[in-house]
Amino acid sequence: MSVLTYETLKLEIRDHVATVALAREPVNAMNRRMREELIEAASVLGGDPSVRAIVLTGLGKMFCAGADLNDRPDTSRLGAYTIHNRHVRECFNAVLECPKPIVAALNGPAIGAGLVLATCCDILVASDSAWVSMPEVEVGLAGGPRHMLRHFHQSDARLLMLTARRISGPDLLRMNVVSACVAAEDCVPTATSIAAEIAAKSPAAVRAAKKSFILGEDLPLNEAYRHEQSLTEVLSEGPDFAEAQAAFREKRSPDFSGD
């Protein structure tokens, strides 16, 4: 196991799975420093060959209460909001574009920007005591609809955004937003178990599959599938595919430790 230290995050790596916990208790509100560290962590872990999957969660009883209201841009300064928006956007993009799959463990409420952060992940798991909300319309703001559409269906996304209502963990499961809704004490272990399953697969193939998912969101079906086929062609000449074929012939599990 290796441990890296940040001011606003707690990060551990064990058995090819990195666990990143938001660590600004009591509510893990996102400030500029946390965004910078999330960008760095996603970049470092994305390039670390010892890491094959990531779990993102929060310390304490909250996943993330959203943006820190004490860290808003000074609108009296020209360009302040533009600079702020750029930092926020790049934070979410860093998580979204990380080449390693990220499993969000919603151990507690995910509000506003905290929910946006969760929707940037690949797979979501929720505690049965967790809930999510996008309260922007209650305070005269409206950010987040496009990110919500990554995991919410159209009607549910509009319900979430236009009413600002709280949606519970069990309802998230009913809406097919999360892949599992479990007891609070099982939330992170369940997410870690999923990450461990991913880590046991071909690292090259997993990276290619995630890349296809991300690119495919903005491509027509035919063009997206053509891209996937080109990746498969490259993978078919790689060591992981050769190992998988050898394992099949020898009736054993493949060993992808060479990556």
Side-chain angles (χ1 to χ4, degrees), residues 60-238:
K61 297 181 179 180
M62 179 81 68
F63 176 76
C64 178
D68 187 340
L69 296 180
N70 294 317
D71 192 46
R72 303 294 295 176
D74 179 2
T75 55
S76 68
R77 289 178 49 239
L78 287 175
Y81 224 110
T82 300
I83 294 169
H84 170 79
N85 284 344
R86 193 180 303 279
H87 280 288
V88 172
R89 194 163 59 244
E90 287 310 309
C91 171
F92 294 143
N93 286 343
V95 175
L96 183 68
E97 297 168 2
C98 178
K100 310 298 172 63
I102 302 178
V103 184
L106 303 182
N107 57 299
I111 305 168
L115 178 54
V116 173
L117 178 64
T119 65
C120 291
C121 299
D122 300 283
I123 299 169
L124 278 62
V125 173
S127 158
D128 57 12
S129 59
W131 52 267
V132 304
S133 73
M134 291 294 289
E136 274 74 0
V137 294
E138 294 184 325
V139 294
L141 300 175
R146 182 59 186 89
H147 282 90
M148 294 307 103
L149 288 173
R150 297 196 71 245
H151 291 279
F152 287 82
H153 292 299
Q154 289 278 355
S155 179
D156 291 330
R158 284 164 167 76
L159 178 72
L160 176 75
M161 293 294 309
L162 301 179
T163 68
R165 68 169 60 177
R166 295 182 180 186
I167 299 178
S168 69
D171 279 339
L172 291 172
L173 183 64
R174 176 183 58 79
M175 292 174 173
N176 294 317
V177 174
V178 300
S179 297
C181 179
V182 297
E185 63 270 21
D186 296 327
C187 186
V188 173
T190 298
T192 302
S193 176
I194 294 171
E197 284 188 68
I198 295 170
K201 305 303 185 286
S202 160
V206 168
R207 288 195 299 271
K210 172 159 183 178
K211 184 177 182 180
S212 292
F213 271 113
I214 298 301
L215 289 177
E217 290 187 22
D218 299 317
L219 293 177
L221 174 61
N222 189 51
E223 189 175 343
Y225 188 55
R226 185 183 296 114
H227 169 75
E228 292 164 20
Q229 288 181 311
S230 69
L231 290 178
T232 298
E233 182 178 354
V234 173
L235 289 169
S236 69
E237 300 175 356

